[in-house]
Amino acid sequence: DQLDGSASVRIKSESCAGSSSKACREKQRRDRLNDKFTELSSILEPGRAPKTDKVAIISDAIRMVNQVRDEAQKLNSSLQEKIKELKDEKQKLKVEKERIEQQLKAIKTSFDSMAQLVSGIF
């Protein structure tokens, strides 16, 4: 196997082409696995030459997944707190709306009573 430097893609040797021997199948499996390690390394550190040390690649992936998970948990906690605040505010506004509606009803009743008095006088 060789690596094509321009595209960082593994070029498969033709020695196993068309063969279904166990050794060839295992070599193809290893080649696919190595390609995935190279791809993962490129994703973890875009713009840098991919690492070839599989332990380092997996360690970087674990670190990255843990960072993303921690950030997601923080964001989730923050969103849950904001949801609670908004629900509390909604409840307060609902109570305020009911109070204003009662005041409006009382004013309307007073106005109607005054209107009847005024119309009775004239």
Side-chain angles (χ1 to χ4, degrees):
D1 287 350
Q2 302 173 4
L3 282 179
D4 176 352
S6 63
S8 293
V9 175
R10 188 176 298 276
I11 300 172
K12 311 295 182 223
S13 66
E14 299 299 322
S15 63
C16 284
S19 176
S20 62
S21 72
K22 185 174 181 178
C24 283
R25 287 193 312 272
E26 177 60 21
K27 181 173 182 355
Q28 290 170 344
R29 185 193 71 78
R30 285 191 317 268
D31 287 345
R32 286 193 312 272
L33 192 58
N34 287 333
D35 289 344
K36 293 301 176 184
F37 271 105
T38 302
E39 183 180 350
L40 180 58
S41 179
S42 296
I43 290 169
L44 293 172
E45 298 185 74
R48 293 186 67 192
K51 293 180 180 177
T52 55
D53 179 15
K54 293 175 185 175
V55 173
I57 294 169
I58 294 209
S59 295
D60 288 349
I62 290 169
R63 180 184 44 78
M64 179 86 59
V65 167
N66 285 332
Q67 286 176 346
V68 170
R69 184 182 58 212
D70 291 346
E71 187 176 330
Q73 287 173 344
K74 287 177 187 175
L75 288 172
N76 188 42
S77 295
S78 176
L79 286 173
Q80 292 300 322
E81 182 62 32
K82 189 65 175 171
I83 287 169
K84 183 183 179 304
E85 290 173 10
L86 290 171
K87 283 181 178 180
D88 290 346
E89 184 177 347
K90 178 184 174 185
Q91 184 60 33
K92 288 177 186 176
L93 289 171
K94 186 176 179 180
V95 168
E96 180 70 11
K97 177 186 173 194
E98 289 171 0
R99 187 185 64 75
I100 291 172
E101 286 174 344
Q102 288 173 353
Q103 286 178 340
L104 185 60
K105 187 176 181 181
I107 291 170
K108 185 179 182 309
T109 302
S110 290
F111 180 77
D112 289 346
S113 296
M114 284 188 212
Q116 285 178 351
L117 283 174
V118 169
S119 66
I121 295 176
F122 294 109

